[in-house]
Amino acid sequence: MDGRRTTVRDMRRSNRSVILTSIYREGPLSRFELGHRTSLSAASVSNLVGELLEEGVVEEAGSVESDGGRPRVLLRVAPRFGYVVGAEVGETRVRVELFDLAMNVLSTMVYPIETPKPEPALAVKLVLAGLAEVLREARVAPDRVLGLGVAVAGIVEGPGDAVVHAQTLGWDAVPFGALLAAKTDIPIQVDNGANTLGQAEMWFGAGRGATDAVVALVGSGIGAALVTGGSSYRGTRSSAGEWGHTTIMYGGRQCRCGAQGCLEAYVGAEGVLERFQAENGGTAAPGADEEEAFTALLDSAGTSKVAAKVVEDTIGYLGAGFANLVNLFNPERIVLGGWAGLLLGERYLPQLREAVGKHALRQPYAQVSIELCSLGRDAVALGAATLPILRLLREGGVPPTRTLAARTH
C-alpha cells in the first residue's frame, strides 16, 4: 500500500511539473491549451491548475476569445511567488543579480577582481556579499528566495556538493557548493558558466526553438553548452563542453590549462591580447582592464596592420573551432555569446560564417545557422538564476526545504 501511495504521489508531482513547465516556458496558456500540449485529461488539468492557483504558484493573466464559447482564462507563473538569485564568478569580476520569476532584474551588484586567479574563499565572500546586498536593496526577505545559482569556470561535479575543477583558476577539487552552503540557508546550485549561458539562451534567447544546438561562450576563456534532442549533454561526469581545450594547433601556444595548442589560447580574450602584444613589439593594447584592452584592439584594427592581422587570425581560429562543432555534432544552430564573443560577432559575424564554411563539411554546414546571443553580455548570471527555477519546475512548484546553515559570519 505504501508503494502504491508513493507511486500516486510521484505521478501527481510529475503531472504538476509538466503543467507548470508548459506554463512557464510557453505561457500564458489557457487550460484548453494545456490539455493539448500535455496530453492530460481536462479533469486532470483543471484539478492540478486549481492546486497551483490556490498555492499561489500560478495566477490568471487575462483572457482570450474562444470559438463560440466563453473567453478562455490565461495562466502564468506568478512572478512574485518567489525570487531567484544568479551569480557569475568570472576572472575579472563577480556579478550577482536578483530576479523575480518573470526574470525581471530587481537588483545587481558587481565586484571587480584584481587577480585573474581568485582564491575560492574570495569568490565565496564576494558572492555572499552580493547576495546580501541585492536582497537589501530590493527589500526582499531571504526566506522568499527559492535559490542561489552560481556560474563558475571549469568542470562542476554535483549537483549536491558542487565540487569545482578549474585548472585555469588553480582550483583543484574545490568544494565550492559546500563552502557557500556553510554560510547561508538559501539553497545553492553551482554549474559551469557556459552551461548556464546555454540554458538562458535556449529558454529565452537565440537558441529558443532549436532541439540540437551549441551555445558558445567566448570571454577570457572559452566553453560551450551542448544541447541534443532538446536536452543538455554533459558527458559521464559533467565535463562535456570544454570546447576551449580542444586542440586547434599541434604543438602550438601554451594554454592556461597547461596543454599546448588549445583553441582558448588563440581565441580567448587573454590569448588574443597576448598574441597582439607579442606581435606588437611587446606593447600591449591600452585599457584599464581586459575588456577595455580587447575593445581597443578591435577599434584599432582599421588603422593598425598588427591589430588587423591579429583580429583576422582570431576570426579564422574561431571559424575553425566552430567548424569542428559542425562536423562533430551536426547542430541546427550555433549561438555565439560571452562578452568577447559578442564584441567579435557584432563586428565580424559575416566573416566568421565564411570562415566556418571554409573548414566545415558542406552538408552539415548548409544545415546550421550561426547567430549571436540575444540576451547580452551579462546573460551568464541570468542563466545561473534559472537553476533554482528549473528545480522548482521539476518539483511541480514545491519550494525546496531549507536547512539551517552553520553560520560563521
Side-chain angles (χ1 to χ4, degrees), residues 377-396:
R377 299 177 189 176
D378 302 314
V380 173
L382 183 150
T386 66
L387 296 175
I389 290 180
L390 180 60
R391 178 167 55 192
L392 181 72
L393 298 179
R394 286 176 174 168
E395 293 299 320

Side-chain angles (χ1 to χ4, degrees), residues 103-152:
M103 301 314 290
N104 297 308
V105 182
L106 306 180
S107 180
T108 301
M109 291 299 299
V110 179
Y111 302 94
I113 296 177
E114 302 301 327
T115 170
K117 292 187 176 183
E119 289 294 325
L122 174 62
V124 168
K125 177 182 177 181
L126 295 179
V127 168
L128 293 174
L131 172 64
E133 189 60 25
V134 295
L135 295 182
R136 185 199 64 78
E137 186 176 86
R139 298 182 179 179
V140 171
D143 61 4
R144 298 295 315 284
V145 179
L146 300 174
L148 164 64
V150 185
V152 298

